[in-house]
Amino acid sequence: MYSEWASLEEVIADNVGQTSVLQNFPNSVGRDVACSIVKSLARHLSVNAADCQTSQLNTDSQVQWTMEVLWHGLGLPMSEYETINDCVNVYCEWLTAMTNPKDSVPIPILEDPNAYTQIIIRHFYSLFIPRDVSGVDRQGMLCHRVLRALESLARDSSLMVPDTWNIILQFLLAVNDTLLSPPIVKDSLGAELGRRVVCVLFKLWLLACSRCFPSPPLWKSFRNMCLNWRHHIALIEQWSRTNLLLTARMLRIMYGPNFPELKLPQDLKEEFPVIPADMDDDRVAQTWFRFLHILHNPVQLSSPAIVSNTPKFLHMALTSEAVVDPSQHPCLHNLPEIFFRAMKGVSAVVDAFLGISQVELLDMSVAPSLSKPVAMTAAVTPPLKKKPAGTKDTKKSNSSIQKQLSTPVTPTVSQVSLSLEDKKSLAAGRAKCNSILHLLGSWLFEAALVGCPIATETKDNTESRRSGSFIGRTSLSSSAGSAPALTGSDHPLDLELSYDAGRAEAVGALCRIFCAHKTGEDILAVYYARFYIILKQGLQIKENLSGPVLSSLLFNACNLLRNDLEGVTVIFPDLVSALEIVLPEKEPRFKLHPNIPLVELRRASIHLLLSMLCLPLHFRNLPIKEILKGLSSQPVTFVSMRPRLINLVVSALQVETDSVNTQMLLGGLLLCTQDSALCEEVDQASVQEEMVGGNDSSNNLLAPEETGTPRQGSNWSLDSDRSSKSFTSITKEFDSAQGLFVRSIYLVCHRLISTWKTDLNVSLAALELLSGLAKMSLKQKDLLECKRAVRWICEYIVYQCSRPPQAHSKDLHSTIVAAYQCVTTWLLEHHKLLNDKECLNTVLEVVEMGISGSKSQPKPNDVPPTYKGDKDLKPASMRVRDAAEGVLSCMLDLVGAFPPPSGPESLNSELNEDSLLRYTKGVHSLENRRCFRYFIIENSIILGMLEQPLGNDQDPLPTVVVINRNPLGRHVWTMRLRQLSRKKSLQAGSRSFLTPPSRPAPSNDCGTHYDVKQSYFPESVHNLPQTQAEKSIPSLSSLVKTTDALEFSKLQSCIQQQAAFETSVKLNESQRCHPKRPTECNPPKVCHEFQTARLLLSHLGYLSLEALKGSVNSPVPSLIALNSGSETFHDDLDMLDDMRSRTSDTLLVFYVHSGQKTVTEILENETPIHFYEFLRSMGWPVDVRQHPGWNGLLDSKILQQDTAFSSRPEDVAARTEFDAISKILYWADHSTELAIIVPSVRFLQLVKQQDMKPKDSMAEFPYVPLSASSKQNAEGANEQTRAALHLDLNLESRQKQTKEKAEKPAASPVASPNLSSSMRRRKHWSRQLSVVGHEMRVLVVWLESYEDNTTFPACELIAELNGSAATQPQEKDIFIIFVHALQSGLFRIHLRGGTSSSGRISMATPLVDGMVVSRRSLGSLVRQTTINMHRRRRLDTDV
């Protein structure tokens, strides 16, 4: 930079080498003259206000002679402190001639202040010449005063000319060189004033750059003289601070005010002045660049031989018998900390250009402790005393020096802990990687290899390197410009001092530079090569392992595999090896970087692991290139690394204790398992296609519309590549999907019931993983393992419910509810589990515990069970009870029967009153719904009964059609009363079941009839005499009184008549033959009119005497008849049918081209084919006008009436196929419906068009805003129409209220009871959306350029789609899943927003921020994460 300019070092040395004329006289003469004259001058200064007089020095000669005396007085020994102090006072007061002159200033100085000021400044140098150690403190005080005077002079004076500025800067350079050039000696003036003189030098130099820019020779002198001061920490600190100040100003100049402001440390703001505001941009740029290079190469600070190669160190070595080699001076033990601080300063500049502006990253007052303590204070060394030369003394002194050298220095321990969050906030407009590397790369590359043996190895093996080596194809000498060679310090002392702290900073800075790579950005190949070599050295775990370097590398390289860095996979094996000594261990086997907590290091390692999991199955058998020549002849393939990655995930989960880290690992475990299962499924399908001949049209697994409704739980693969070796054969050696499935169940369940059961967030993540495993599509699933999984989940529920009352909280109950949902998922996906008696009993016990709060029999065969009627219902909470009842309902209604025949779109029957009336006999009007009779049973079920038989019924049997509306939905049953089973009836004949069964045919052969009189007592009984007791019972006639004689005679007559009738019948029967036709029993005629509703309710037990008595005594009768004649009754039923039994979620998907920032640009995008495939992997297309399930935003019944947007041009239709106007993508399971919408410009036009309509026409508007204001408006309307929108059981009061309201004039459409159906439906949908949406929106954004995630207008998009009546959505209510396609074919995931007060929403799995997923599993993982987000928000908001 200054090669063509001459240095001013000799000029500066000549100026400071001059002496006063009094030096030619004896010391006593000069001292006496100076003392007497200075004392007289000091008496009349302004500091002595009582005796202040005007100076008597009126000529230049007088002033110059006096100044010679003062000059000599400044150089006196510190024993003459008073004289020296007076000299300083005189000169400081005379310097006020440049600012605010005092009365004591001589007239010649006032007339020519610059000339005399220059002389005074030169004379001040004598004060800074070191003297006796005993007077250092007093000398330091005087020097401080002089420095303050110079600062005031430079800051306040407006008379200074360039020559005066040059003299000030030369004086400061001379003073710094005098004090800082020699080796540090304890209690010396240099140790006392070193920090202060350097600070003043940098301050005034910056000020000079603003007012009088220094000349190139002066800059060169400054740069050359700094080489003599590099063993002082103060110089490096001040250099780093100055660079930060100038860099902050440069950022505003280069990138404008929108670039993140560099937050400077508070102590730097207080101690150091801000760059002058009037300093123009060109001067700032020149000053910044020159100060940045003022130390030459800061990497040389790691070499004691280079630092000590100065005249003062050589002079010390020649004059000292204890130090033979200058590089062995004990003060050089500070070089590791000095090197660290220099690299810290360079690293801070790198962070500034990347947009990382955290204050703690710029704190230069701390350094990591990387070695053992040593007995040195303030980085100074005590003076070495000379001793006579002798063998014994020399050996003793040399041994003491060697002992000191063998003990490393102790840098100051840092109190600042770094966090990964500090590294994520990169500026969108940050500098390019090449630009930063051009500026600072040469230093960083060299510093990152300090102490590494790579230099000699690369030099020796350059010719013998194999052709396939990565480095062999990239010449290290091809670096542009100033890129130095890969050399480390080779001095013997380097092996004894640890420079790992500075090296770690350099490696971390390089990692941050390369991880800041933008989409489509080019980096020179030589930079890639050198960076990968540095990573190779830093990831060494056997030889040359450096804990701080490894920690810094892993901590700062989180995004290494997430960016499109060319050839980055060459370090894949080394990264895996490094993670194997970090993640599986609770405590690492190496020394950590003190500023990086173990939790943050493990989190960074997990981020790296999550970006590697899909690489083995993506690249399969592709060999991994070697950077340098290796010992192994067998190349390493990607798929061979898969078992190690899986073991890393499993091992890390076993030892991880941090909640966030554990959730990230659980997401990675589910990714591994699902990706493996999908890969096996794709390979198996490809093998089958090859066996049958391979039809091209059948290769696409992404066409659900061609195969009808997709099977439940299927995941359409997006992987179209075919490997030469199928994955099935590869997994013979490694874990298959089935094996990983079993390992995951064992690990997660055991940890869940042992360690994670008290952690809410981890429990939710574990249950989400188990639910994902239940839905996995495997060729063979071991039901025994599934049974164990269900049993372990039930044990978890039992433990949580059994915790003491003080432990019960909303969060605890949320985990229990999530566990019940997980059990439901397992039972639905593996319905054969209920065939197992033990599994069924376990599930029912847990359901019973959730409903009642305890088990009937806590331990089998221990105590007799407690019956339901004897138990007190004390559930853990109503939420838990509802969840348990939901499990029981699903077991009875859905297990083994899902999806229903109509498909998963609807759990309800597609039949309703209107559809049934179309086929009912005798009903010709669809409006005649009064044929139905409605009852409420058990205060929870509405039964609608139709007693007319349907049109396809040919048999006049008692038939009733029942529409059952319960919390699980709407179901339609047809019931008939039969005397025989249907099978027997069909066997007997088509109409035989209408006639009763005939009696057996009689037989005429009845045998011989004997007329025998039966005798009940012996014949001799009449001959026995009666006893007195027998006569105790009087006869009936004897008891008859006169008043009862008439009744007695009537009774006696009846008895006689009956006896005569029986006698005649016997006589007639004895005379007749068989069969006796007149007396044969015949069935009654077939009845064709029935009260079937009464029959059904009677059979159900609701019309028995006991039931009726119980209804009278209970507060809510078990059976209530409803008045179906109300005008709004059927509208209320329709609204009830529209309320869904499953949760309904909406997912908005956007495609963003590179650089797009506005709403219109994003909505007008044309989606490419790979984005279309991604959409189809998340759901199947449905027509919103015919779709019975959830459609996201629109009321399909009302939309059918709006044909304005039904016809679209073909090009528009192709671009906006799933924009919710005609089609959406849909997915559903037993508990959730998901509508996937890709909004378009036409959709936005529809919203705006409806916003412009009058308020009374909004009744026909099918779009429902999603904002809170819409919810409030809908709720306000519902308050006014509540009487018209509920099923009132009090018929008389209902009719009275309806009549009163009909008489009143309607103030508004809302207040009218005769609301139109569309208006009422719109209000209902608004209310429903506010419930199921939980005011949280989930967006999926496909980015062509990853950097556009910072400028994506999420709030603006939602606000536009909500319409004009909506309020601005809050950022916390919007959760965004960014998807960015990498050049490798994998996809990078970035999650943003959606954080609740508890922070649970943003950690929903399986997707994790920064995860890299495969093409085949992308859609499934996005869908699962979306559903889990909504479920966690519901758990967070439920009460």
Side-chain angles (χ1 to χ4, degrees), residues 270 301 376 464 804 1004 1261 1304 1338:
E270 296 174 355
L301 295 171
M376 295 180 66
S464 60
N1004 292 326
F1261 176 42
K1304 295 181 180 180
V1338 179

Side-chain angles (χ1 to χ4, degrees), residues 424 562 607 610 664 1346 1389-1391 1407-1411:
K424 292 183 179 180
R562 301 170 183 166
H607 275 289
L610 295 180
M664 294 170 60
Y1346 179 78
I1389 303 298
H1390 174 55
L1391 307 181
L1407 288 182
V1408 178
D1409 186 22
M1411 180 181 284

Side-chain angles (χ1 to χ4, degrees), residues 202-336:
F202 277 72
K203 284 183 180 180
L204 297 189
W205 202 284
L206 276 177
L207 193 58
C209 292
S210 174
R211 301 183 180 180
C212 181
F213 199 82
S215 61
L218 204 55
W219 277 102
K220 184 172 184 179
S221 303
F222 187 14
R223 191 168 185 241
N224 292 343
M225 297 176 77
C226 281
L227 298 179
N228 301 329
W229 316 334
R230 291 184 295 183
H231 55 287
H232 286 268
I233 296 179
L235 174 67
I236 307 304
E237 288 184 354
Q238 208 61 50
W239 174 70
S240 300
R241 291 169 178 263
T242 306
N243 286 335
L244 288 180
L245 283 171
L246 293 169
T247 302
R249 181 70 175 273
M250 282 297 298
L251 293 178
R252 293 198 298 270
I253 296 174
M254 297 173 63
Y255 302 106
N258 295 330
F259 196 81
E261 182 182 359
L262 185 60
K263 300 177 182 178
L264 301 175
Q266 187 63 31
D267 60 338
L268 178 57
K269 294 181 180 179
E270 296 174 355
E271 181 181 335
F272 215 76
V274 183
I275 306 298
D278 56 350
M279 192 172 180
D280 59 78
D281 296 346
D282 291 338
R283 293 195 179 202
V284 172
Q286 287 289 333
T287 305
W288 169 75
F289 189 79
R290 293 168 190 256
F291 262 107
L292 186 63
H293 294 82
I294 206 68
L295 292 182
H296 287 261
N297 184 1
V299 185
Q300 294 178 353
L301 295 171
S302 63
S303 175
I306 297 177
V307 174
S308 62
N309 188 21
T310 62
K312 295 298 179 66
F313 271 91
L314 293 175
H315 179 266
M316 178 273 305
L318 295 176
T319 57
S320 174
E321 297 179 358
V323 179
V324 178
D325 191 343
S327 63
Q328 295 180 358
H329 196 280
C331 72
L332 296 181
H333 281 186
N334 289 328
L335 286 183

Side-chain angles (χ1 to χ4, degrees), residues 1095-1152:
L1095 284 174
L1096 176 62
L1097 295 175
S1098 177
H1099 291 169
L1100 294 177
Y1102 290 103
L1103 297 182
S1104 63
L1105 293 178
E1106 292 78 5
L1108 295 176
K1109 291 179 181 178
S1111 300
V1112 173
N1113 298 328
S1114 62
V1116 180
S1118 59
L1119 178 66
I1120 302 175
L1122 298 178
N1123 179 18
S1124 59
S1126 174
E1127 297 179 358
T1128 59
F1129 179 83
H1130 293 285
D1131 290 338
D1132 292 341
L1133 282 182
D1134 293 340
M1135 294 169 60
L1136 181 63
D1137 291 339
D1138 289 336
M1139 296 180 67
R1140 306 186 178 279
S1141 58
R1142 296 180 290 184
T1143 58
S1144 303
D1145 303 325
T1146 303
L1147 176 63
L1148 302 179
V1149 187
F1150 301 92
Y1151 188 93
V1152 180

Side-chain angles (χ1 to χ4, degrees), residues 8 432 434 503 579 765 788 929 1082 1232:
L8 300 179
K432 293 184 177 180
N434 272 339
R503 182 186 167 201
L579 295 182
R788 289 173 178 171
R929 286 191 174 187
N1082 295 319
T1232 302

